[in-house]
Amino acid sequence: MMNPNRPSERVIIVGAGVGGLAAAIVLAARGLDVELFERAPTPGGKLREAAVGTARIDAGPTVFTMRWVFEELFAAAGTSLDAELALTPAQMLARHAWSQDQRLDLFADLQRSADAIGQFAGAREARGFLRFSADARNIFTTLKDSFITNSRTTPAGLMQRVGLGGLGGLINIKPYSKLWPVLGSYFKDPRLRQLFGRYATYCGSSPFLSPATLMLVAHVEQEGVWLVEGGMHQLAQTMARVASRLGVRLHYSAPVAEILIEHGRAAGIRLDSGATHQADAVVMNADTAALGAGLFGSQAARATPATPPQARSLSALTWSLVAETTDFPLVRHTVFFSRDYPAEFRDLLQRQRLPHEPTVYICAQDRSDHDTGTPPPSGPERLLCLVNAPATGDHHDFTPAEINACAERTFALLARCGLQVRQQPEWTQITSPTQFNQMFPASGGALYGRASHGWMASFSRPGARSKLPGLYLAGGTTHPGPGLPMATLSGRLAAASLLADRPSTSRSRPTATSGGTSTR
């Protein structure tokens, strides 16, 4: 039996997503004995690659933002981001199309984007964009230290930290207003409301139900987007390499069956193979829906509530393919919009079906982020094509007929906007919510945890400390939310909470992790 009062010196981490890897790096850098177990054969979690023939295609997150999060993490490990990973700043954030002759590019340079919007929709809309961007910056600045990087996530705590009278400060970050109508105060052009409303889908949510606080996503992109040499999966490989260099023992193809409980606290794990490994603390970097559903043991299920199906974020239907394209100037990130945005979300959330006409995102991974410089591929190229889907993969089997019908509508929309994609079945890998649920059990295929619907949604995500002593939570389904930098921050918060809870340090609770993440 382990001593329940023993300091947490040996830590087991479950899951090698970026949250688990970040926690491993911070804890190992502080001298703890860290062992990590991952059910997949490679690190990354949702930051995954698809193998299509001999091609490797990023099939998860495709945008690298909030560079400072990773700079601080690597500094805590005694190295630097630049020394470990090759990054190039993007000049263009994305190209957007509504039809063959309606296109708008947004750029890393704010004024250049405003000028493009002015040419596209008029001077009033350009002024609205600058007001929108200023407000998005203010929201992000207000929440960065008070909420995003903070482990205390209650409304009362946020009100106190925001200041300006608490409630007044909260009103300034627009939590009580829906994103869609607020966008109407900046943009009269419905296409621009659609474009900036799409930021809600970055956390798997609807712009018609999400708080206007999500405007901050626009500022995150405007602060900088980077291209990762070798593909996004290199980030996971690099973090795993740094963790290993610090002494973390990484085990792949090692699924965990149970969190072991002794003396009322987490005390280790049991693998599917039957082998047990004891520890003083466990960091769970898996979808919290799986934990709450009892997939890591009935005793551990009380650590966090189960996620109700109606609270799930969106899933996706993706095509990872190698194909020839013609007639449209793709850049690295291109979005093709549906003609009826409200109908698209009614299909997704009310009817819980694939949209009749979906908005389509394409990451052209052999393309530059702008028209000049690297010439377009002369033959087949690597593409990730994604549409939003309902998170019903645990009880609805997305049949080939259903997927084919959606594919026909998807590629017809692309053709209407001028893009012809010559795909071949043998060079195409399709992933539906059914497969996403198999990869991330109990989620229904939801890729972002809980949906950000309503002002309390952000407070409904579990924090770093679970209800079970000795068990800490990390990953995109926990606070502060989905996306690579947020999931990475969650790992740092989990590590900081674990370190703060060690009896040897409880009298002088640290105020920050190495790298500056506040825990106050």
Side-chain angles (χ1 to χ4, degrees):
M1 290 280 183
M2 299 179 67
N3 181 355
N5 298 315
R6 178 184 169 188
S8 297
E9 298 295 339
R10 184 163 190 269
V11 180
I12 285 177
I13 296 177
V14 180
V18 293
L21 291 169
I25 288 170
V26 172
L27 294 171
R30 291 288 296 269
L32 276 67
D33 179 16
V34 182
E35 199 161 9
L36 187 152
F37 295 84
E38 165 59 48
R39 71 197 297 258
T42 57
K46 291 172 185 171
L47 181 59
R48 65 188 192 95
E49 281 186 325
V52 180
T54 58
R56 309 293 296 186
I57 301 174
D58 281 328
T62 57
V63 179
F64 186 100
T65 59
M66 294 174 68
R67 179 188 173 113
W68 57 270
V69 171
F70 301 96
E71 288 175 335
E72 292 176 355
L73 176 68
F74 284 104
T79 182
S80 70
L81 180 62
D82 286 335
E84 303 291 344
L85 199 63
L87 301 173
T88 303
Q91 297 179 37
M92 183 187 295
L93 300 180
R95 174 160 289 163
H96 308 84
W98 288 263
S99 67
Q100 207 156 5
D101 56 357
Q102 296 182 84
R103 297 176 189 167
L104 173 64
D105 296 340
L106 293 183
F107 301 92
D109 182 275
L110 188 67
Q111 188 57 53
R112 191 177 176 191
S113 290
D115 292 342
I117 288 172
Q119 294 174 10
F120 178 74
R124 183 177 65 177
E125 300 299 88
R127 292 192 297 270
F129 168 72
L130 292 174
R131 286 193 298 111
F132 167 80
S133 298
D135 287 349
R137 180 181 65 247
N138 290 337
I139 292 172
F140 179 82
T141 301
T142 299
L143 291 177
K144 179 183 175 184
D145 294 329
S146 64
F147 185 73
I148 293 172
T149 62
N150 200 290
S151 63
R152 294 163 60 196
T153 62
T154 65
L158 176 60
M159 288 172 67
Q160 181 181 22
R161 292 188 297 274
V162 167
L164 301 177
L167 184 61
L170 277 183
I171 291 173
N172 291 336
I173 60 174
K174 306 181 188 295
Y176 308 116
S177 302
K178 296 289 193 297
L179 177 60
W180 189 259
V182 167
L183 288 174
S185 68
Y186 302 102
F187 307 109
K188 302 304 179 187
D189 191 313
R191 296 170 300 180
L192 296 178
R193 291 177 72 181
Q194 190 177 24
L195 190 161
F196 293 106
R198 183 176 171 272
Y199 285 125
T201 66
Y202 282 38
C203 55
S205 305
S206 163
F208 304 98
L209 299 174
S210 299
T213 308
L214 291 183
M215 287 168 51
L216 64 82
V217 178
H219 176 69
V220 167
E221 285 200 338
Q222 290 163 7
E223 272 197 324
V225 172
W226 282 264
L227 309 181
V228 180
E229 184 177 309
M232 292 292 290
H233 195 253
Q234 290 302 311
L235 173 63
Q237 297 285 359
T238 299
M239 292 175 71
R241 184 175 66 246
V242 171
S244 180
R245 207 159 63 214
L246 290 169
V248 177
R249 299 184 300 286
L250 298 149
H251 305 275
Y252 299 112
S253 301
V256 173
E258 183 182 6
I259 305 295
L260 301 178
I261 313 296
E262 294 184 9
H263 304 293
R265 61 177 291 120
I269 61 168
R270 179 177 61 82
L271 300 178
D272 274 5
S273 66
T276 61
H277 298 263
Q278 291 199 318
D280 301 290
V282 176
V283 177
M284 171 64 67
N285 177 215
D287 198 304
T288 56
L291 185 63
L295 300 189
F296 292 96
S298 58
Q299 292 188 77
R302 66 183 178 87
T304 185
T307 303
Q310 65 271 20
R312 291 171 177 167
S313 70
L314 296 172
S315 185
L317 177 62
T318 68
W319 294 264
S320 300
L321 49 95
V322 178
E324 290 189 9
T325 66
T326 58
D327 302 335
F328 185 97
L330 284 173
V331 292
R332 180 64 66 94
H333 305 292
T334 308
V335 182
F336 300 85
F337 285 104
S338 65
R339 287 170 288 194
D340 190 338
Y341 218 36
E344 181 176 349
F345 284 92
R346 284 195 297 271
D347 281 344
L348 289 166
L349 299 177
Q350 295 177 22
R351 301 183 179 102
Q352 292 200 322
R353 67 185 187 189
L354 295 170
H356 179 73
E357 182 176 272
T359 291
V360 186
Y361 165 69
I362 291 183
C363 180
Q365 297 173 28
D366 297 310
R367 300 271 183 155
S368 169
D369 64 305
H370 50 88
D371 287 330
T372 59
T374 306
S378 57
E381 57 183 308
R382 296 174 300 153
L383 305 172
L384 173 67
C385 179
L386 178 150
V387 303
N388 290 314
T392 56
D394 54 344
H395 61 268
H396 175 75
D397 185 16
F398 286 77
T399 65
E402 190 176 0
I403 292 170
N404 290 339
C406 185
E408 288 182 8
R409 299 192 297 269
T410 296
F411 290 96
L413 182 143
L414 299 180
R416 177 173 61 79
C417 292
L419 177 65
Q420 306 293 331
V421 181
R422 299 193 183 99
Q423 57 174 317
Q424 301 178 49
E426 63 269 27
W427 290 97
T428 303
Q429 183 182 119
I430 299 172
T431 308
S432 76
T434 303
Q435 282 80 51
F436 282 120
N437 182 69
Q438 291 167 355
M439 287 185 275
F440 311 110
S443 68
L447 297 176
Y448 314 89
R450 285 175 171 262
S452 297
H453 294 159
W455 77 274
M456 278 294 293
S458 294
F459 302 108
S460 299
R461 290 181 179 273
R465 292 179 176 89
S466 79
K467 295 179 181 178
L468 179 67
L471 179 62
Y472 299 85
L473 306 177
T477 61
T478 67
H479 173 78
L484 292 179
M486 297 297 189
T488 301
L489 282 172
S490 78
R492 291 172 55 184
L493 289 170
S497 298
L498 188 156
L499 291 167
D501 291 346
R502 295 165 72 201
S504 59
T505 60
S506 60
R507 294 183 181 179
S508 56
R509 187 182 182 93
T511 59
T513 66
S514 301
T517 299
S518 169
T519 61
R520 292 265 180 207

